[in-house]
Amino acid sequence: MTHMLLLYCLVFLLPTESCRTLCQAASENKEKVSARPHGVCDGVCADNSHCTQPCASDTPGNMEFLCRQNKWHKITDTCRTLTAFNIFEADLYSDQPFGGHIKVKEYDSKSETITDMLMQKCPRDLSCVIRNIQQSPRIPGNIAVIVQLLHNISTVLLTDVDEAKMQSYSIMANHILNSKSISNWTFIPDRNSSCVLLQSVNSFARKLFINKHPIDISDVFIHTMGTIISRDNTGKNFTFSMRVNDTSHEVTGRVLISRDELWKVPSPSQVVSIAFPTLGAILEASLLENVTVNGLVLSVILPEELKRVSLIFEKISKSEERRTQCVGWHSLERRWDQQACQMIQENSQQAVCTCRPSKLLTSFSILMSPHNLDSPILIYITYIGLGISICSLILCVSIEALVWDQVTKTEITYLRHVCVANIAATLLMADVWFIVASFLSGPTTHHSGCVAATFFVHFFYLSVFFWMLAKALLILYGILIVFHTLRKSVLLASLFSVGYGCPLVIAVITVAATEPGKGYLRPEACWLNWDVTKALLAFVVPALAIVVVNLITATLVIVKTQRAALGSSMFQEVRAIVRISKNIAILTPLLGLTWGFGIATVIDDSSLALHIIFSLLNSFQGFFIFVFGTILDPKIREALKGRVTSAKWISGISENLSSDFSCHPTKEPS
């Protein structure tokens, strides 16, 4: 029995990093596009052999074929006619038949260049590429170029998206959503292109500004509606009616927001809904899914206060033998989520679903990763770890203050505890600001607050690293006695210059260089941008460089400890191993060595396992510092015992004095 899904695509305005829930609904009765057309390829066709052929003359790209059952089957196609040089030229295709051979210049620029030129030539309405895009053939290479262009536009434009820009954006998307292009999506090398398109359209629509009048932008293969809602409304609904399968038959889709839900909106807010009649088939073609779509794909952008929305899908195929499901689709994880929506009612004509948003906060791994990975496991690890770390760091700073005079009697111990106290204090502030940033709704709704939060997160986490670097230099000072001629005041000034001066310079330069061009923040989260300006490198590069230096320092300490045990008895060697293990346990959190796993999340930001390891090790860093840097320090324990003993002694003396000087009644002589 064929499984059918109702596709419900929902994007919420939440205080999260990249927390989209995309839901899918069901089956379309059409021929599977996975049966790829045959091509002509030179060479002997042996099973599972590959062959690559160039595109037509003067057309960049190539076609790759795979031999199956003694026949060549095309598997990828990167032939393209759209380039940064001709996409703006007028009448490029006017004298040539659609899809025919087209002379173009050599493609040696990336699609980012097209975006930059677009913002220079027509920043007001983005219309200067529409004509040539509409006249271009819908071949796989052109589809990939347009998808990347739409993604870059949605990333570059953080605010000020008006109806004119949305109209142009929809026209570009409409061209590659055409039902005639569905089979060509199969040959795009990046299988996630359809997911990128969906995510880009939703991201762009989130920034749409709606004035007093509703917005209704209708194209054949994408229809956008937007309006302002308030608690005064009796309810709100969007009704879409669109053609599918190149026929005159139209199917409808409705988005319903009840009056009870509208009462949860404290002030007038905007709602945007988008309908796609072909996107379900495109997702199926590009991802090679075994399920098909039996209705419109609906995307709904809601205020964060709304907790429920209802969707009504008219079925394309009205066969009662096919089972229908409501499921959720995560664009980043590329998987179906059966928990997102629930089937309320179904018959042969339509299905009614109700869907609830899942409120996911920013995970800790976003600090090093170019893109955040949405996962409930990461969220739990991050905020449980940060909660425990914050409490541990408060205790750590309090204990340092309590025993400061007892543990800082020598110059080297004084400087060492200065480093530990500042590492704990800056990490405490960084963790607090990280939580504040994650609770903001994002750059679109709280831009100024998001900039401030990102700046402080950047500054304080950099301060943590530079104080850990200062700690490492202090260890080298103790081992190599490099700065033995320097006075204590000079060393102290150097430590504070490194610990706070360097991070402040980096953080200020980063915000000053990128914020004027709106390239400081990510579109969906309060953290440093990656896609446009690579501002994230202002954190990743110094942090990982410090980790390398600190790793070298820790290695020197271990080598020195190991050399001291060479030629000793078995008992002394065992004690040396114990000392080495203790040094590793103490130095790892204090020098931030676990942040080295950030290299893995930068290289592969889609691996859930790497993100989990990174979050586990680093969200609990404050707890590890408290345990290994404070509790297990014998001098601190001894000082604490002395404070407790002193407190008891003072309490005992107070009681005795109270007893000696208390008044007793006496009997006067008569």
Side-chain angles (χ1 to χ4, degrees):
M1 182 169 58
T2 304
H3 291 276
M4 303 174 65
L5 302 173
L6 287 178
L7 182 56
Y8 157 70
C9 170
L10 189 58
V11 180
F12 296 93
L13 295 177
L14 291 176
T16 69
E17 208 274 327
S18 199
C19 65
R20 300 178 180 82
T21 305
L22 304 170
C23 303
Q24 161 154 12
S27 182
E28 181 182 37
N29 189 18
K30 65 177 185 60
E31 183 180 356
K32 299 287 288 184
V33 295
S34 57
R36 305 172 187 264
H38 302 296
V40 178
C41 192
D42 298 332
V44 179
C45 181
D47 279 351
N48 297 321
S49 61
H50 289 259
C51 174
T52 301
Q53 291 288 101
C55 301
S57 177
D58 296 329
T59 301
N62 56 65
M63 296 174 286
E64 186 177 357
F65 297 84
L66 174 66
C67 181
R68 291 196 303 262
Q69 298 179 350
N70 297 322
K71 291 183 180 180
W72 289 111
H73 297 258
K74 185 165 67 171
I75 55 175
T76 62
D77 184 342
T78 59
C79 300
R80 56 190 178 274
T81 60
L82 288 175
T83 74
F85 299 102
N86 61 32
I87 195 171
F88 298 97
E89 294 175 4
D91 302 321
L92 175 64
Y93 299 98
S94 58
D95 297 327
Q96 303 193 42
F98 182 80
H101 178 66
I102 300 166
K103 296 280 187 179
V104 296
K105 299 178 183 178
E106 182 180 359
Y107 185 88
D108 58 4
S109 297
K110 296 181 179 179
S111 52
E112 285 86 351
T113 304
I114 300 177
T115 310
D116 295 338
M117 295 172 65
L118 178 65
M119 294 305 161
Q120 295 172 9
K121 290 177 178 290
C122 51
R124 296 185 62 181
D125 58 5
L126 311 178
S127 62
C128 53
V129 296
I130 289 178
R131 181 177 181 183
N132 287 345
I133 284 179
Q134 287 182 308
Q135 293 179 350
S136 66
R138 301 180 186 91
I139 56 179
N142 283 350
I143 293 174
V145 169
I146 296 171
V147 168
Q148 187 63 48
L149 174 62
L150 293 173
H151 170 71
N152 291 337
I153 292 173
S154 68
T155 304
V156 170
L157 285 177
L158 297 179
T159 55
D160 302 326
V161 175
D162 55 18
E163 187 170 359
K165 290 188 180 75
M166 192 71 210
Q167 177 73 63
S168 299
Y169 197 89
S170 296
I171 292 173
M172 287 184 263
N174 183 75
H175 182 68
I176 56 177
L177 287 168
N178 192 297
S179 58
K180 296 177 181 178
S181 70
I182 293 176
S183 61
N184 284 335
W185 283 84
T186 314
F187 305 114
I188 300 176
D190 184 2
R191 295 294 178 204
N192 297 315
S193 294
S194 56
C195 300
V196 172
L197 173 65
L198 179 55
Q199 182 175 338
S200 301
V201 172
N202 286 325
S203 177
F204 193 78
R206 288 177 62 188
K207 304 158 192 171
L208 178 63
F209 176 74
I210 302 174
N211 210 344
K212 296 180 181 179
H213 304 290
I215 288 178
D216 191 336
I217 302 171
S218 179
D219 289 290
V220 178
F221 301 103
I222 179 172
H223 188 177
T224 304
M225 293 185 185
T227 189
I228 301 295
I229 60 171
S230 67
R231 57 174 53 191
D232 297 331
N233 298 122
T234 57
K236 205 69 186 178
N237 74 83
F238 299 100
T239 301
F240 301 94
S241 183
M242 307 183 79
R243 287 186 298 135
V244 295
N245 293 341
D246 297 324
T247 65
S248 58
H249 175 63
E250 293 187 346
V251 296
T252 61
R254 298 180 66 192
V255 179
L256 306 176
I257 305 173
S258 67
R259 183 174 184 177
D260 292 339
E261 285 296 308
L262 291 177
W263 269 96
K264 300 175 183 177
V265 181
S267 59
S269 304
Q270 64 182 44
V271 174
V272 178
S273 186
I274 310 171
F276 308 87
T278 58
L279 184 58
I282 290 172
L283 283 168
E284 177 192 351
S286 58
L287 297 175
L288 302 181
E289 288 288 336
N290 292 324
V291 292
T292 50
V293 175
N294 197 30
L296 300 179
V297 178
L298 300 179
S299 174
V300 188
I301 304 170
L302 300 170
E304 61 182 61
E305 293 83 6
L306 298 186
K307 303 302 180 184
R308 180 184 299 172
V309 63
S310 298
L311 304 170
I312 302 177
F313 297 93
E314 180 186 354
K315 296 181 179 180
I316 299 173
S317 175
K318 298 179 170 58
S319 171
E320 295 185 0
E321 297 179 357
R322 297 182 175 182
R323 186 167 59 90
T324 305
Q325 292 178 311
C326 290
V327 297
W329 169 256
H330 276 282
S331 62
L332 293 180
E333 297 182 10
R334 285 109 187 181
R335 64 175 179 84
W336 301 117
D337 181 8
Q338 299 182 2
Q339 312 270 321
C341 299
Q342 181 181 1
M343 180 75 72
I344 299 300
Q345 183 182 354
E346 180 192 9
N347 55 40
S348 61
Q349 302 296 314
Q350 66 179 21
V352 181
C353 301
T354 182
C355 301
R356 298 174 180 268
S358 59
K359 186 175 181 179
L360 298 178
L361 303 175
T362 305
S363 65
F364 200 71
S365 57
I366 190 180
L367 290 175
M368 286 285 190
S369 176
H371 303 97
N372 193 37
L373 191 63
D374 287 341
S375 171
I377 297 175
L378 285 177
I379 303 303
Y380 295 143
I381 291 173
T382 296
Y383 291 95
I384 290 173
L386 287 179
I388 293 174
S389 286
I390 288 172
C391 295
S392 300
L393 291 168
I394 292 173
L395 289 174
C396 180
V397 173
S398 302
I399 291 173
E400 285 285 343
L402 189 64
V403 300
W404 186 263
D405 293 335
Q406 286 76 29
V407 298
T408 59
K409 293 180 179 179
T410 65
E411 177 182 307
I412 192 65
T413 56
Y414 178 83
L415 295 174
R416 185 175 73 84
H417 281 279
V418 165
C419 290
V420 173
N422 279 279
I423 289 172
T426 52
L427 183 58
L428 173 62
M429 295 301 299
D431 288 347
V432 170
W433 275 106
F434 181 88
I435 293 177
V436 170
S438 72
F439 273 96
L440 292 175
S441 297
T444 305
T445 52
H446 296 101
H447 184 77
S448 298
C450 203
V451 169
T454 300
F455 175 82
F456 284 117
V457 172
H458 187 201
F459 169 70
F460 280 115
Y461 273 117
L462 278 181
S463 295
V464 174
F465 279 98
F466 276 95
W467 272 108
M468 290 189 294
L469 175 63
K471 170 72 174 172
L473 295 176
L474 195 62
I475 292 173
L476 292 176
Y477 163 74
I479 294 175
L480 305 176
I481 317 296
V482 176
F483 305 110
H484 64 283
T485 59
L486 296 179
R487 296 194 305 270
K488 177 181 174 181
S489 59
V490 175
L491 281 172
L492 200 60
S494 301
L495 291 177
F496 274 88
S497 298
V498 171
Y500 291 114
C502 295
L504 184 61
V505 170
I506 295 173
V508 169
I509 290 176
T510 303
V511 69
T514 58
E515 175 56 24
K518 302 301 181 184
Y520 184 58
L521 303 173
R522 299 187 181 194
E524 72 286 352
C526 297
W527 184 230
L528 299 174
N529 186 283
W530 173 262
D531 291 321
V532 179
T533 61
K534 299 293 187 290
L536 180 63
L537 293 176
F539 175 73
V540 172
V541 172
L544 294 181
I546 290 172
V547 169
V548 172
V549 173
N550 292 358
L551 183 60
I552 294 172
T553 303
T555 304
L556 289 175
V557 172
I558 294 169
V559 169
K560 184 176 180 181
T561 307
Q562 188 178 17
R563 283 181 178 177
L566 291 177
S568 303
S569 64
M570 180 66 70
F571 176 72
Q572 289 176 325
E573 289 184 0
V574 171
R575 290 187 61 183
I577 293 173
V578 172
R579 284 199 303 272
I580 291 173
S581 302
K582 185 178 178 180
N583 286 337
I584 292 174
I586 293 173
L587 293 177
T588 297
L590 286 176
L591 299 184
L593 302 184
T594 54
W595 286 82
F597 282 94
I599 298 175
T601 61
V602 172
I603 296 173
D604 184 6
D605 62 358
S606 62
S607 172
L608 180 60
L610 292 177
H611 282 262
I612 290 175
I613 293 172
F614 181 86
S615 297
L616 272 173
L617 293 175
N618 296 301
S619 63
F620 286 90
Q621 186 180 8
F623 172 73
F624 296 143
I625 289 175
F626 174 66
V627 172
F628 296 108
T630 303
I631 297 300
L632 295 183
D633 189 324
K635 292 184 178 180
I636 291 181
R637 291 204 308 270
E638 184 179 344
L640 281 174
K641 288 179 182 178
R643 296 282 298 190
V644 172
T645 303
S646 177
K648 289 181 179 179
W649 183 73
I650 293 173
S651 177
I653 291 178
S654 299
E655 290 178 3
N656 292 333
L657 289 174
S658 175
S659 160
D660 292 339
F661 289 97
S662 60
C663 296
H664 297 282
T666 58
K667 185 177 181 180
E668 295 183 2
S670 54

